[in-house]
Amino acid sequence: MTAPTAPAPAGLTTGALARRLGVSPTTIRSWERRYGIGPAHRAPGRHRRWEPEDVAVLEEMCRLTARGVNPAEAARTALAAGSGPGTGSDSGSGSGPGRSTARTGTASGGNTLPVGTVRPECRGLARAAVRLDAPEVARILRRSVDELGAVVAWTEVMTPALRAAGRKWVAEGERYVEVEHLLSWHVAAALRRVADRPEPLPGPAVLLAGMPSELHALPLEALAAALAERGLPFRMFGPALPPEALLEAVRRTGPPAVLLWSQVTRTADRALVERVVRTAWGPQGARTQPVVLVAGPGWAGPRRPPGTLRPRDLATAVDHLEALLR
């Protein structure tokens, strides 16, 4: 007589669950060991199997850590909220996936962005970004800009996460370039949502541009968003504006101020800035020249181009430009 075939085990394995949540299997095992978040039931001699209620607890854990909640506190909350929380046992059986796609967690084994001492929003943003959780990245950024304003969101949430992503891929090679690209795209989208206005703001507009060889545009996006929040008009020309195009834009628009961004020293063209300072427009006898601000690390050093201002940060730049426009 032939023995009956054992039914295929239901539920998700740890590896499948890790892929679904966007964390490493090591992270899940670490959470199970440290916080008791594991399958509710164990079948001896079989691999862990995660039931839907187990998956729901882990998803809640990920959602909370994405918002900057300490992992231990997130685990307590997730276990309390779960309808069938795990108790740290090794395995179980279940049937299928939980409620939603990936959130975030504190991945181990190097799968983190070391952001240091920062706001909870920044910690959550870094965790979501390293897991490539685009919806959560977008939500955190949108909420940060809405609740904190463009200046604080850029300075205390976006910039530390972007710098950490840059340091990570430099240290790890191309492995983490995708994290920086995803994060940069969503940062730009969150800032552009504030800067884009259905109707033009009244009054003379500030000209914002990157130097001709400068490819970094996110600081300019942050400045545009901050100006829009204050109701100050601007024209954004983005990065890498060619020299003659920059000079022609100044002549054609007659801006009261021009802000030129340079991220690195090699893009900080002082000779071109001096030409912008000398560019004038208007009728003979009443010609006007712009106030020129040079911004960014590329202009660091004791000598800035003559006739220019150099704001030390985003908040100072916005204050300078508001004073010139009011």
Side-chain angles (χ1 to χ4, degrees):
M1 180 174 178
T2 305
T5 304
L12 293 175
T13 65
T14 299
L17 180 58
R19 288 190 295 274
R20 180 177 183 81
L21 296 177
V23 299
S24 71
T26 304
T27 294
I28 293 178
R29 296 186 188 103
S30 173
W31 285 351
E32 183 179 356
R33 184 177 66 254
R34 294 180 182 181
Y35 310 122
I37 294 184
H41 307 291
R42 176 178 182 173
R46 295 170 63 180
H47 292 293
R48 292 174 176 85
R49 289 284 172 172
W50 298 77
E51 299 179 0
E53 59 267 29
D54 304 321
V55 175
V57 172
L58 275 177
E59 286 181 329
E60 180 68 4
M61 174 79 172
C62 290
R63 186 187 68 81
L64 292 168
T65 56
R67 285 156 173 75
V69 178
N70 177 277
E73 181 182 346
R76 287 192 295 271
T77 303
L79 287 167
S83 60
T87 58
S89 53
D90 273 344
S91 70
S93 63
S95 58
R99 296 168 301 188
S100 63
T101 56
R103 292 297 180 262
T104 190
T106 306
S108 60
N111 292 329
T112 58
L113 295 182
V115 292
T117 304
V118 292
R119 301 181 68 99
E121 296 91 341
C122 183
R123 289 198 303 273
L125 178 62
R127 289 167 179 159
V130 82
R131 290 177 35 260
L132 305 182
D133 186 351
E136 188 65 21
V137 167
R139 278 190 289 271
I140 293 171
L141 289 169
R142 183 169 56 248
R143 188 172 62 249
S144 297
V145 173
D146 290 346
E147 295 179 0
L148 304 175
V151 172
V152 175
W154 169 255
T155 305
E156 300 185 17
V157 179
M158 299 172 181
T159 298
L162 287 165
R163 287 175 176 167
R167 289 193 301 267
K168 190 72 171 178
W169 74 255
V170 167
E172 300 283 346
E174 293 189 356
R175 181 182 173 198
Y176 282 89
V177 172
E178 72 279 7
V179 174
E180 187 184 37
H181 279 235
L182 179 90
L183 183 57
S184 296
W185 190 90
H186 283 284
V187 165
L191 294 169
R192 190 75 59 86
R193 186 174 65 94
V194 178
D196 285 345
R197 295 289 183 122
E199 298 293 333
L201 295 168
V206 172
L207 190 155
L208 309 177
M211 295 301 289
S213 300
E214 182 54 63
L215 300 178
H216 291 80
L218 289 181
L220 288 174
E221 299 276 10
L223 178 58
L227 291 173
E229 283 183 339
R230 297 195 188 185
L232 302 174
F234 62 87
R235 284 188 176 91
M236 167 68 84
F237 289 87
L241 187 62
E244 293 307 319
L246 170 60
L247 296 170
E248 182 63 16
V250 173
R251 285 190 290 266
R252 289 179 61 188
T253 64
V258 175
L259 185 139
L260 301 173
W261 176 265
S262 176
Q263 181 74 21
V264 293
T265 304
R266 64 177 176 79
T267 67
D269 187 342
R270 284 172 163 75
L272 177 58
V273 171
E274 292 173 11
R275 292 178 66 189
V276 175
V277 170
R278 295 194 300 269
T279 301
W281 60 87
Q284 198 70 27
R287 297 182 71 76
T288 305
Q289 293 170 280
V291 176
V292 178
L293 293 79
V294 291
W299 303 106
R303 186 176 64 87
R304 69 170 183 266
T308 64
L309 301 174
R310 185 174 182 270
R312 66 179 181 273
D313 53 28
L314 175 61
T316 307
V318 177
D319 289 343
H320 276 323
L321 294 173
E322 183 171 27
L324 292 167
L325 291 172
R326 292 304 188 193

